[in-house]
């Protein structure tokens, strides 16, 4: 997609008034958290070990479908939102393309489309310094041929007599057209929808020697290596693509990789995986060039000084938990990646993973990734006792301690709290056992099994005074979705007040949209909210304490929470001031919600109690289950649904068309599970009007003038749903920028959903309209 001149002006304006000058010259690149994803590595490596020739290696479409299904159903809800290609299989540029179009027999566009349907992204293994296209083809936007980018007799190299191995054709980065070629590489993947690229074999480029006895390239020199990395950073930032360098040089303490790339490998390939790759392979040995370490533990330890918030992400390569001997080894391997702030890259396949998903989906441990946590060992001397004890601090001040037993016998390990700057008494949460232990004051000790680990979270007992209070629970409009917890208003005397609907069920109060924030609970579970009673203030995640207030009757309430200046005492009072306000909840593919308890609430149009309007984009789905309405949030058995009187598709869908109105009937419990839906060719932007007085649902073109017309022309709509920014536009092109002026994502479909885990300001631009959103 071509970036129009007006978009360039917008970006320039963003840099001018939103960001410091240095951000406009390329941006701060170390703002990402480590990715959680699946890699094809195990499939490919096993094919290689089986002796399958390179040109015959491939995955069938059915195998890709099985992977996508596994990741979207078992892992996506835990933060794993991407699958990634790797080496081994043929990577080819077809149909006249300058850049890669196929991985094995799978067209990348097809793979991306398959993943998008299931809410997944695709990452690509490729290197912008490799040439895959026809050498007589032109560099996009120039008259330079690809051949002109390759080595010629005038190039000064380290080993003139050496001919590069035929595996790759390298770009000589100081040749004219090299910068444009690299920019075209990232534009190619951006336009496909790829925003993660793994770049391999960089250690061959600079000096041609990856630790072997002979050069494998002619050695293009450090200046060309840095020039290439600078072009990569420039274009990757321009197109919003995360770069991971796989086999890096890391010379001079990784000065170039840290400057130009988002993430870098720090260890030998995964190979056979298991404890071999995690700890035992050449344990305690650090080399002077790639690979600097042969096992993950030594690699993370040796390079730990490079990591940290605002620094490059350290990558320990893929995990093959099916190759571990026992569950203790599995817990250790997943724990170290997350403690060190690295990615968790699953390589187990649908055929080998069995029940091992439980180790990858420990949400208490994955909270470290979400937090951007990066821990350090007490010592970066590999194989030392202190290198087996790691720690770090979360953004809310909680301290995480991890102790790893690399030995083959069980042993007692300890951490002196003063050594990590902690004084006082702390609550202890075991992040694998999911239980609270006895509080600790001076030294934390634990018996750790052979090849096992202990990971605990230390939480202060004293609670800070909150700046905000939120409501969460079945009784609230947010249900148990902590990211959507209902807000209160703070009055001048420090009292927090909520006025609005509450439903029959449990409720709790928290100081942040985070389960690990301060929780305000009743002394006895099930205490009626209107009874008040004693409030327990708990600073930390109360997983097993599960004590809630109870709302006995749905209605509109006024709830007041008063917290003492010390933060350790609170009072709650609540009165029911009326019935529930009129509302409708929207379920189905159009909203992305399938349970009434979680579905978005629509309130009536101003001046009416019976007219409810939804506007948005409707995308084609195979089952056509686009719309279903409920009278209010809640459990299905307790909720009244408004469903079609008749159905005509798949036994559960009423096919509808724009411009038509349909009668609905009411059903409590939703047993028939009927929906309204559009045929694929009728999908697009629409306005839906629910009229309770007539018991009808109308489906209109969004621009149609009709009853309930608000008088405001829709052009651009953007909002947050959890960590996802949803954008709907009448214009085909949509762009989202962060505060630095970096374009996070572009699309030419007029609709997008992008994950924005970081709080901050986001700028949405489409056509002649711009919106600013604060998260």
């Amino acid at each position: 997609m071509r970036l129009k001149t007006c978009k360039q002006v917008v970006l320039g304006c963003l840099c001018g008034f939103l960001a410091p000058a240095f951000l406009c010259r390329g941006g701060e690149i170390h703002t990402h958290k480590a990715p959680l994803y699946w890699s094809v590595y195990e499939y490919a490596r096993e094919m290689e070990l089986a002796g399958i020739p390179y040109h015959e290696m491939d995955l069938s479409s059915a195998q890709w479908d099985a992977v996508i299904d596994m990741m979207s159903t078992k892992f996506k809800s835990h933060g794993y939102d991407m699958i990634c290609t790797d080496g081994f299989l043929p990577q080819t540029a077809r149909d006249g393309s300058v850049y890669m179009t196929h991985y094995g027999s799978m067209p990348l566009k097809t793979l991306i489309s398959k993943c998008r349907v299931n809410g997944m992204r695709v990452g690509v293994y490729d290197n912008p310094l490799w040439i895959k296209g026809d050498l007589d083809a032109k560099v996009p936007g120039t008259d330079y041929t690809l051949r002109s980018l390759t080595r010629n007799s005038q190039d000064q190299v380290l080993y003139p007599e050496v001919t590069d191995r035929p595996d790759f054709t390298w770009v000589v980065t100081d040749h004219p057209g090299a910068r444009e070629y690299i920019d075209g590489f990232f534009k190619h993947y951006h336009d496909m929808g790829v925003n993660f690229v793994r770049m391999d074999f960089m250690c061959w480029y600079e000096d041609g020697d990856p630790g072997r006895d002979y050069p494998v390239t002619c050695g293009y020199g450090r200046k060309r290596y840095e020039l290439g990395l600078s072009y990569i950073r420039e274009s990757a930032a321009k197109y919003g693509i995360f770069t991971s360098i796989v086999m890096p040089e890391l010379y001079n303490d990784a000065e170039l990789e840290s400057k130009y790339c988002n993430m870098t490998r720090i260890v030998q390939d995964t190979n056979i995986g298991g404890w071999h790759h995690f700890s035992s392979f050449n344990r305690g040995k650090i080399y002077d060039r790639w690979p600097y370490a042969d096992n993950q533990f030594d690699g993370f330890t040796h390079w730990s000084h490079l990591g940290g918030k605002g620094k490059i992400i350290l990558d320990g390569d893929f995990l093959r938990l099916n190759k571990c001997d026992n569950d203790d080894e599995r817990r250790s391997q997943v724990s170290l990646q997350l403690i060190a702030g690295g990615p968790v890259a699953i390589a187990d396949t649908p055929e080998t993973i069995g029940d091992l998903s439980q180790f990858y989906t420990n949400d208490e441990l994955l909270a470290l990734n979400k937090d951007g946590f990066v821990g350090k060992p007490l010592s970066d001397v590999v194989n030392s006792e202190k290198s087996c004890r790691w720690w770090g601090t979360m953004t809310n001040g909680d301290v995480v301690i991890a102790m790893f037993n690399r030995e083959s016998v069980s042993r007692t390990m300890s951490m002196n709290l003063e050594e990590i700057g902690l004084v006082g008494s702390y609550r202890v949460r075991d992040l694998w056992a999911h239980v609270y232990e006895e509080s600790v004051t001076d030294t934390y000790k634990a018996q750790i099994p052979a090849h096992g680990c202990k990971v605990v979270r230390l939480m202060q007992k004293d609670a800070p005074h909150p700046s905000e209070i939120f409501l969460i629970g079945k009784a609230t409009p947010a249900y148990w979705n902590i990211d959507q917890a209902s807000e209160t208003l703070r009055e001048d005397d420090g009292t927090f007040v909520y006025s609005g609907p509450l439903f029959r069920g449990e409720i709790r109060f928290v100081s942040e949209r985070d389960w690990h924030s301060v929780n305000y609970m009743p002394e006895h579970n099930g205490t009626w909210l209107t009874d008040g009673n004693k409030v327990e203030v708990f600073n930390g995640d109360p997983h097993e304490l599960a004590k809630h207030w109870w709302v006995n009757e749905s209605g509109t309430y006024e709830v007041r929470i008063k917290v003492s200046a010390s933060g350790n005492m609170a009072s709650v009072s609540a009165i029911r001031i009326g019935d529930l306000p009129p509302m409708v909840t929207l379920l189905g593919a159009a909203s992305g919600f399938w349970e009434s308890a979680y579905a978005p609430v629509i309130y009536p149009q101003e001046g009416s109690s019976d007219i409810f309007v939804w506007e948005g984009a409707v995308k084609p789905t195979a089952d056509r289950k686009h719309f279903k309405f409920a009278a209010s949030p809640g459990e299905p058995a307790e909720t009244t649904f408004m469903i079609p009187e008749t159905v005509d598709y798949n036994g559960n869908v009423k096919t509808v068309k724009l411009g038509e109105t349909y009668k609905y009937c009411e059903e409590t419990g939703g047993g028939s599970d009927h929906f309204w839906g559009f045929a694929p060719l009728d999908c697009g932007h629409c306005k839906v009007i629910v009229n309770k007085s007539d018991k009808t649902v109308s489906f209109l073109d969004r621009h149609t003038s009709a009853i309930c017309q608000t008088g405001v022309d829709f052009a651009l709509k953007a909002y947050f749903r959890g960590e996802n920014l949803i954008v709907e536009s009448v214009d085909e092109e949509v762009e989202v920028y962060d505060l630095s002026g970096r374009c996070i994502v572009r699309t030419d479909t007029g609709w997008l959903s992008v994950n924005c885990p970081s709080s901050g300001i986001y700028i949405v631009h489409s056509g002649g309209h711009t919106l600013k959103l604060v998260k």
Side-chain angles (χ1 to χ4, degrees):
M1 182 182 67
R2 187 177 70 254
L3 185 62
K4 299 177 181 178
T5 303
C6 65
K7 308 299 174 66
Q8 295 171 334
V9 172
V10 169
L11 182 57
C13 291
L14 288 171
C15 287
F17 71 85
L18 288 178
F22 76 90
L23 291 179
C24 301
R25 294 194 297 268
E28 173 51 58
I29 63 173
H30 299 312
T31 59
H32 302 270
K33 70 177 183 64
L36 305 175
Y37 67 101
W38 178 88
S39 169
V40 74
Y41 180 87
E42 182 170 279
Y43 272 134
R45 179 62 173 143
E46 289 301 310
M47 282 190 272
E48 182 181 61
L49 292 175
I52 297 175
Y54 163 76
H55 65 278
E56 294 181 9
M57 291 186 185
D58 203 6
L59 266 70
S60 67
S61 181
Q63 285 176 300
W64 284 115
D65 288 344
V67 168
I68 295 168
D69 180 69
M70 175 183 77
M71 294 305 298
S72 62
T73 58
K74 293 184 178 180
F75 294 94
K76 184 175 70 172
S77 63
H78 300 277
Y80 296 87
D81 64 349
M82 178 172 63
I83 70 169
C84 190
T85 64
D86 201 66
F88 303 98
L89 277 65
Q91 301 149 57
T92 53
R94 304 185 190 177
D95 304 321
S97 174
V98 172
Y99 306 102
M100 183 170 71
T101 61
H102 287 67
Y103 182 63
S105 63
M106 175 59 69
L108 290 176
K109 287 186 177 179
T110 300
L111 181 61
I112 291 166
S113 178
K114 285 173 176 281
C115 286
R116 276 182 171 171
V117 169
N118 290 274
M120 301 291 293
R121 299 183 296 131
V122 170
V124 170
Y125 171 99
D126 199 357
N127 190 326
L129 301 189
W130 294 341
I131 296 175
K132 291 188 170 73
D134 185 335
L135 291 179
D136 292 323
K138 297 289 183 66
V139 175
T142 77
D143 289 327
Y144 301 112
T145 64
L146 301 188
R147 191 183 309 278
S148 73
L149 305 182
T150 63
R151 178 186 172 190
N152 59 45
S153 58
Q154 283 75 45
D155 287 321
Q156 293 186 0
V157 295
L158 298 181
Y159 307 106
E161 72 285 358
V162 171
T163 299
D164 292 352
R165 277 179 46 166
D167 308 59
F168 313 110
T169 301
W170 294 96
V171 172
V172 186
T173 57
D174 58 0
H175 282 199
R179 184 178 190 177
E180 291 83 356
Y181 175 82
I182 292 170
D183 188 79
F185 172 96
F186 285 103
K187 183 180 186 301
H188 167 75
Y189 283 123
H190 162 267
D191 290 351
M192 277 191 178
V194 171
N195 54 16
F196 177 80
V197 175
R198 301 183 72 246
M199 308 175 298
D200 206 354
F201 291 98
M202 288 295 197
C203 61
W204 290 14
Y205 190 80
E206 178 179 338
D207 61 9
D209 186 359
R212 302 168 186 249
D213 295 329
Y214 58 91
V216 290
T217 72
C218 59
Y220 292 94
R222 191 162 183 80
K223 286 186 177 180
R224 290 194 183 109
Y225 179 56
E226 180 171 12
L227 185 61
L229 290 181
S230 71
Y231 290 159
I232 287 168
R233 168 175 169 162
E234 175 184 64
S235 295
K238 175 181 176 181
Y239 294 107
I241 293 179
F242 182 103
T243 56
S244 172
I245 191 165
V246 179
M247 289 173 56
E249 294 285 17
L250 299 181
Y251 291 152
N252 296 339
D253 209 30
E255 67 168 341
L256 298 185
E257 293 79 7
S258 295
K259 182 179 180 180
Y260 295 113
C261 299
N262 301 118
M263 185 164 75
T264 183
R265 265 258 304 277
I266 41 79
V267 65
Q268 177 66 274
D269 281 16
T270 295
N271 200 358
I272 62 173
W275 191 255
H276 174 85
H277 181 239
F278 178 68
S279 179
S280 64
F281 185 30
N282 289 332
R283 175 176 169 179
K285 293 184 178 180
I286 296 295
Y287 307 100
D288 62 355
R289 62 183 63 207
W290 182 265
Y292 291 80
D294 285 326
N295 67 75
Q296 289 179 321
F297 210 102
D298 287 348
F300 275 123
T301 300
H302 176 72
W303 293 105
S304 59
H305 64 283
L306 287 185
K309 290 192 176 182
K311 296 184 177 181
I312 194 167
I313 297 168
L314 307 183
D315 178 12
D317 212 28
F318 314 119
L319 303 188
R320 302 177 68 182
L321 294 191
N322 70 86
K323 296 298 183 180
C324 292
D325 290 335
N326 55 58
D327 291 349
D328 289 319
E329 293 183 355
R330 296 180 180 107
R331 280 185 280 267
S332 290
Q333 195 160 17
V334 174
S335 297
L336 182 62
Q337 320 306 307
L338 293 168
I339 290 295
V344 180
I346 303 168
D348 307 271
T349 70
E351 295 83 359
T352 63
I353 197 165
D355 63 353
L356 302 182
S357 61
Q358 61 180 304
F359 298 99
Y360 290 118
T361 57
N362 178 349
D363 286 332
E364 289 200 64
L365 203 61
L366 289 171
L368 303 184
N369 174 269
K370 186 176 181 179
D371 186 69
F373 176 93
V374 182
K376 305 277 188 180
L378 290 181
S379 170
D380 63 3
V381 177
V382 298
N383 224 21
S384 65
E385 178 60 28
K386 285 191 173 184
S387 71
C388 296
R389 290 179 281 168
W390 289 63
W391 74 284
T393 304
M394 299 187 70
T395 53
N396 71 346
D398 290 353
V399 172
V400 177
I401 290 174
M403 297 185 292
F404 297 90
N405 181 7
R406 300 179 72 181
E407 311 308 324
S408 299
V409 296
S410 175
R411 63 194 185 109
T412 300
M413 299 182 70
S414 63
M415 179 82 85
N416 186 305
L417 300 191
E418 286 189 0
E419 192 171 3
I420 56 177
L422 299 184
V423 178
S425 182
Y426 294 83
R427 287 185 62 87
V428 180
R429 174 77 175 179
D430 187 316
L431 299 189
W432 279 107
H434 308 300
V435 297
Y436 287 98
E437 300 179 352
E438 291 185 5
S439 297
V440 63
T441 302
D442 299 316
T443 301
Y444 181 76
K445 293 182 180 181
Q447 188 70 22
I448 303 179
H451 295 185
C453 69
K454 185 77 169 182
V455 185
V456 296
R457 183 168 175 167
L458 306 184
M459 297 169 285
Q460 291 186 354
K461 286 187 171 182
D462 293 334
H465 193 278
S467 59
E468 296 181 284
I469 294 285
F470 299 91
L471 286 67
I472 188 66
K474 179 181 173 181
T476 73
Y479 205 71
W480 291 111
N481 184 351
I482 191 68
D483 294 325
Q484 298 295 323
S486 301
E487 295 183 65
T488 62
L489 295 177
R490 183 172 181 170
E491 296 185 339
D492 292 340
D493 65 352
T495 300
F496 297 89
V497 180
Y498 170 81
S499 295
L502 292 178
F503 312 101
R504 191 170 181 270
E506 304 97 337
I507 187 171
R508 184 185 291 181
F509 305 97
V510 292
S511 65
E512 298 178 37
R513 288 189 170 113
D514 181 350
W515 283 119
H516 298 276
S517 63
V518 180
N519 284 247
Y520 304 91
M521 304 175 293
E523 183 180 17
H524 303 290
N525 186 45
T527 300
W528 285 19
L529 184 63
T530 50
D531 286 353
N533 213 331
K534 181 179 178 181
V535 178
E536 289 191 352
V537 179
F538 182 80
N539 186 20
D541 182 4
H543 270 81
E544 83 287 356
L545 297 182
K547 293 192 295 186
H548 309 99
W549 307 96
W550 179 262
V551 176
N552 192 50
E553 182 181 8
S554 296
T556 301
Y557 283 77
E558 181 178 275
V559 184
R560 307 180 73 84
I561 308 103
K562 178 73 172 178
V563 183
S564 67
S566 68
N568 291 316
M569 297 180 64
S571 64
V572 171
S573 64
I575 57 172
R576 186 178 185 275
I577 58 177
D579 295 331
L580 283 174
M583 65 182 67
V584 166
T585 61
L586 175 63
L587 296 84
S591 69
F593 289 84
W594 300 91
E595 298 179 44
S596 177
Y598 291 94
V601 175
I602 305 172
Y603 293 100
Q605 286 232 303
E606 187 175 350
S608 168
S609 61
D610 296 318
I611 305 298
F612 302 82
V613 178
W614 178 88
E615 297 181 356
V618 181
K619 302 172 71 176
T621 63
D623 59 15
R624 301 188 186 177
K625 292 183 177 181
H626 291 121
F627 297 98
K628 184 178 181 180
F629 305 96
S632 62
E635 299 292 344
E638 303 172 357
T639 303
T640 298
F641 294 92
M642 292 162 277
I643 61 175
E645 290 184 325
T646 60
V647 294
D648 55 24
Y649 182 80
N650 275 355
N652 54 20
V653 175
K654 174 65 178 177
T655 304
V656 300
K657 289 184 176 293
L658 292 178
E660 296 187 356
T661 298
Y662 304 85
K663 282 282 190 179
Y664 70 76
C665 58
E666 296 181 345
E667 180 183 88
T668 300
S672 51
D673 200 29
H674 289 170
F675 290 78
W676 279 276
F678 288 103
L681 292 179
D682 292 328
C683 289
H685 299 288
C686 75
K687 176 188 293 183
V688 181
I689 302 172
V690 177
N691 187 325
K692 280 190 173 182
S693 63
D694 294 341
K695 290 192 174 182
T696 60
V697 181
S698 300
F699 299 89
L700 306 176
D701 185 287
R702 178 144 53 185
H703 306 291
T704 299
S705 178
I707 59 169
C708 311
Q709 180 70 26
T710 63
V712 178
D713 255 353
F714 172 88
L716 179 61
K717 183 178 180 181
Y719 52 92
F720 285 101
R721 181 182 295 149
E723 289 192 348
N724 285 341
L725 172 60
I726 312 297
V727 182
E728 303 168 23
S729 174
V730 297
D731 190 66
E732 289 189 347
E733 284 194 346
V734 176
E735 298 171 337
V736 179
Y737 298 89
D738 63 14
L739 186 59
S740 72
R742 179 178 66 90
C743 185
I744 299 173
V745 66
R746 292 182 178 90
T747 182
D748 56 6
T749 63
W751 183 95
L752 66 82
S753 174
V754 60
N755 187 259
C756 296
S758 301
S759 298
I761 296 175
Y762 294 89
I763 306 298
V764 180
H765 183 80
S766 182
H769 302 272
T770 300
L771 293 177
K772 180 170 72 172
L773 291 89
V774 179
K775 183 175 187 290

